Amino acid sequence: MQWTCTSWYRARFGAGPLVWSEDLYPETEEWANSCYWGHRQALFASWDRGNPEYGENIAARSPNGIDVGEGLAMWMAEASDYNYFDPTFSEDTGHFTQVVWNNTRAVACWISNQCNFLGRGTGYLVCRYDPPGNVEGEFAENVGQARY
């Protein structure tokens, strides 16, 4: 169901379906289980926003956890704020643009329900994407407008 939902959102914006990435999966699971709220790559001095190793979306909800569909809905809600007349990165729409990034082909996600950073029962969703989206200078050709 969740991957069907991802494919539906991507198709709506002109992008193809994603395949599951066994390569991204182990560290995605490890990061979610760390319960550290934030993007992993941003913690390291070697991280270059212009050339990241992978794309990453994170979401959390408390007290009853989160599922992939809820995380996707949060990220896709950003679509209404995306400016197609100025196709660049924005902190307000970066989750949405990563989900629908046309050049992205693979994904791995993990949910940890053992976190407490939003209070007891925090569900923490981490999804990683390959190749990464949100590449400066490539938004116009990778973020399509809604088709329906």
Side-chain angles (χ1 to χ4, degrees), residues 39 47 49 78 88-95:
H39 293 282
W47 185 61
R49 216 192 89 56
E78 298 174 358
T88 58
F89 178 77
S90 166
E91 294 284 338
D92 295 331
T93 59
H95 299 102

Side-chain angles (χ1 to χ4, degrees), residues 5-66:
C5 188
T6 301
S7 294
W8 183 84
Y9 280 128
R10 286 177 56 80
R12 184 172 179 226
F13 288 86
L18 300 177
V19 297
W20 181 259
S21 173
E22 290 295 333
D23 293 334
L24 292 175
Y25 175 73
E27 287 188 9
T28 303
E29 177 184 7
E30 180 181 317
W31 189 248
N33 286 336
S34 79
C35 295
Y36 181 87
W37 176 248
H39 293 282
R40 181 183 181 278
Q41 292 185 97
L43 293 178
F44 299 95
S46 63
W47 185 61
D48 176 3
R49 216 192 89 56
N51 189 24
E53 184 181 348
Y54 49 79
E56 183 176 71
N57 278 351
I58 57 176
R61 195 179 80 149
S62 182
N64 297 316
I66 192 168

